[in-house]
């Protein structure tokens, strides 16, 4: 194995708490010489905030090691000269400031939290009904915060797809295009890379379909039985600690 | 033909306006001796309000001719002794007052309009994740009001189905069980009954699958090309007026 891609929420931390042993596991990886990318669909924090938050929790992470789905979304619109209407969390609106958002002709849906109102969803729907392409940040069903399971962007993307009878372009996991971008950036081939995540569809199934190896961890949003929800060969470990033990052969 | 089932919104009226000629068309049907049922998934008005509203617009309708999906939902929970958490429009909450809703062990989703908040959808999702059955009022994608297309209950039901990986029980159109209930109530067989509606899936496809004949009208939410979105033999008419002309052979 030459490279490892690591999901953030639920793998390194839950809410505002690092998972026991995760810091040391990441430090051992950083010292190992493996190429590392932290790959997240999180759309409640900017890149800068994610980096600060990880460092605040004691994780060693270099700027260029972080790959976020919102950045991939911004690039997608910019490359096509589209003007998106962004139904995203207020915390990450600044990531899209460089794009013209007047008179929108495209729609972006991320995890908008309390901004998922009936009025906002109707706005997204009407634009899609008029032909605006729909871009979704991931297809994640839910995540875990403060002991609660909370709806992620996926269900709302499905809702608009169903209402307007369209199919969303997905940026971030589990999109094969996204995994391939990260592989190119990391300079590694799929077969020599392992994805570690707690989301059996977004992280594990997505990685397998892109040809990577994968390891599901039983932390974060993991629920017993998740490993039987998808087909394919992948490892299952109790946490990032045991996953890193396996990778480093210790 | 011995019976006719008629959808309300988009067929008899749009918003607060009767469709031109619809009043007279209904009066001719009432005088014809055909068995008539007005069949609606509308979940923004109680039965009583629907009857008053139709009569206020000048339509002749008898109490027993109105069949609503929310009533079917209430019966579904009552028959099973379930305690639903009702994510429905505030206007129809009184329809569910007779049900015990404490410590809920089931979920109902109707067209809740502005009550479709992130917090409410999370509540529905968490209950379903814990195993509560999900009941949906129809699967309608959208409806038309004041020149806007607005999201109906269907997209939100899909969102919770996707998030919790469950399948909703649908009361109302297009559920075959629902059409069969209305046929029993009307005392008619499917083959001698025609459904008239503006929703090619909820009204027309649902009716055809239950063995009824069907007529799509080009009013309300109808959009050009809708008639090609489903398979099956059905009529298409400009409005309820021409549909009634056909039925009465005039």
């Amino acid at each position: 194995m030459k490279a490892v891609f690591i999901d953030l929420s639920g793998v390194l931390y839950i809410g505002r708490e690092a998972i026991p042993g995760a810091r040391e596991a990441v430090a051992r990886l950083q010292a190992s010489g493996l190429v590392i990318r932290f790959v997240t669909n999180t759309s409640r924090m900017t890149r800068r905030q994610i980096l600060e938050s990880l460092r605040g929790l004691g994780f060693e992470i270099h700027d260029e090691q972080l790959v976020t789905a919102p950045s991939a979304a911004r690039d997608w619109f910019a490359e096509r000269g589209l003007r998106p209407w962004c139904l995203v969390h207020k915390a990450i609106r600044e990531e899209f400031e460089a794009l013209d958002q007047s008179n929108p002709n495209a729609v972006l849906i991320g995890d908008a939290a309390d901004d998922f109102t009936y009025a906002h969803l109707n706005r997204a729907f009407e634009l899609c009904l008029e032909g605006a392409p729909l871009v979704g940040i991931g297809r994640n069903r839910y995540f875990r915060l403060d002991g609660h399971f909370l709806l992620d962007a996926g269900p709302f993307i499905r809702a608009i797809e169903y209402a307007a009878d369209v199919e969303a372009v997905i940026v971030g996991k589990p999109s094969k295009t996204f995994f391939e971008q990260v592989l190119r950036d990391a300079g590694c081939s799929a077969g020599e890379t392992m994805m570690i995540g707690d989301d059996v569809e977004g992280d594990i199934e997505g990685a397998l379909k892109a040809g990577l190896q994968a390891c599901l961890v039983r932390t974060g949003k993991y629920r017993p039985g998740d490993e039987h929800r998808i087909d394919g060969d992948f490892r299952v470990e109790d946490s990032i600690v045991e996953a890193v033990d396996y990778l480093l052969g210790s």
Side-chain angles (χ1 to χ4, degrees), chain A:
Chain A
M1 210 69 61
K2 289 201 183 159
V4 56
F5 294 176
I6 305 170
D7 178 44
L8 296 179
S9 173
V11 176
L12 298 188
Y13 59 84
I14 294 176
R16 281 162 290 273
E17 301 261 346
I19 284 174
R23 262 184 294 257
E24 296 73 18
V26 168
R28 288 164 61 209
L29 279 179
Q30 294 285 14
S32 71
L34 284 173
V35 177
I36 305 174
R37 289 294 178 273
F38 297 92
V39 181
T40 182
N41 280 0
T42 296
S43 53
R44 288 192 173 199
M45 286 192 282
T46 60
R47 272 183 64 83
R48 188 179 45 74
Q49 288 167 336
I50 294 169
L51 287 166
E52 280 171 10
S53 157
L54 282 171
R55 287 167 186 155
L57 287 170
F59 288 100
E60 180 187 347
I61 173 170
H62 311 298
D63 285 17
E64 72 281 5
Q65 290 178 327
L66 177 64
V67 185
T68 75
S71 304
R74 186 195 50 221
D75 295 348
W76 195 92
F77 292 116
E79 284 161 14
R80 286 159 183 80
L82 289 167
R83 304 180 303 277
W85 187 73
C86 297
L87 182 46
V88 297
H89 200 281
K90 56 185 176 303
I92 66 159
R93 286 199 199 123
E94 67 179 75
E95 300 239 16
F96 303 97
E97 275 172 4
L99 297 171
D100 180 5
Q101 296 176 49
S102 63
N103 188 20
N105 60 3
V107 172
L108 175 65
I109 297 184
D111 165 22
D114 290 329
D115 273 333
F116 281 129
T117 64
Y118 187 59
H120 286 163
L121 288 163
N122 272 319
R123 174 79 165 127
F125 164 60
E126 280 205 298
L127 283 164
C128 290
L129 207 57
E130 290 162 10
L134 173 63
V135 176
I137 298 180
R139 278 216 183 269
N140 302 61
R141 295 168 192 256
Y142 55 86
F143 61 99
R144 206 174 144 193
L145 185 66
D146 301 333
H148 283 278
F149 290 102
L150 294 177
L151 293 165
D152 208 319
F156 296 94
I157 295 165
R158 289 275 178 192
I160 301 303
E161 284 182 308
Y162 175 69
D165 200 14
V166 298
E167 191 171 343
V169 172
I170 298 300
V171 293
K173 302 173 285 187
S175 150
K176 191 175 174 183
T177 315
F178 181 70
F179 278 109
E180 288 168 349
Q181 277 171 359
V182 187
L183 285 169
R184 272 197 303 279
D185 169 65
C188 297
S189 72
E192 60 193 14
T193 303
M194 176 169 273
M195 172 79 214
I196 302 175
D198 65 331
D199 185 321
V200 75
E201 291 167 322
D203 297 323
I204 308 305
E205 192 174 35
L208 293 176
K209 284 190 176 167
L212 284 73
Q213 302 195 46
C215 177
L216 178 68
V217 290
R218 296 194 184 94
T219 51
K221 80 180 68 172
Y222 171 83
R223 301 174 80 221
D226 276 356
E227 53 269 62
H228 306 301
R229 290 182 51 193
I230 65 164
D231 293 326
D233 266 343
F234 56 93
R235 295 193 66 79
V236 186
E237 298 283 359
D238 279 346
S239 78
I240 180 81
V241 178
E242 290 76 13
V244 169
D245 283 347
Y246 166 77
L247 274 171
L248 303 185
S250 54

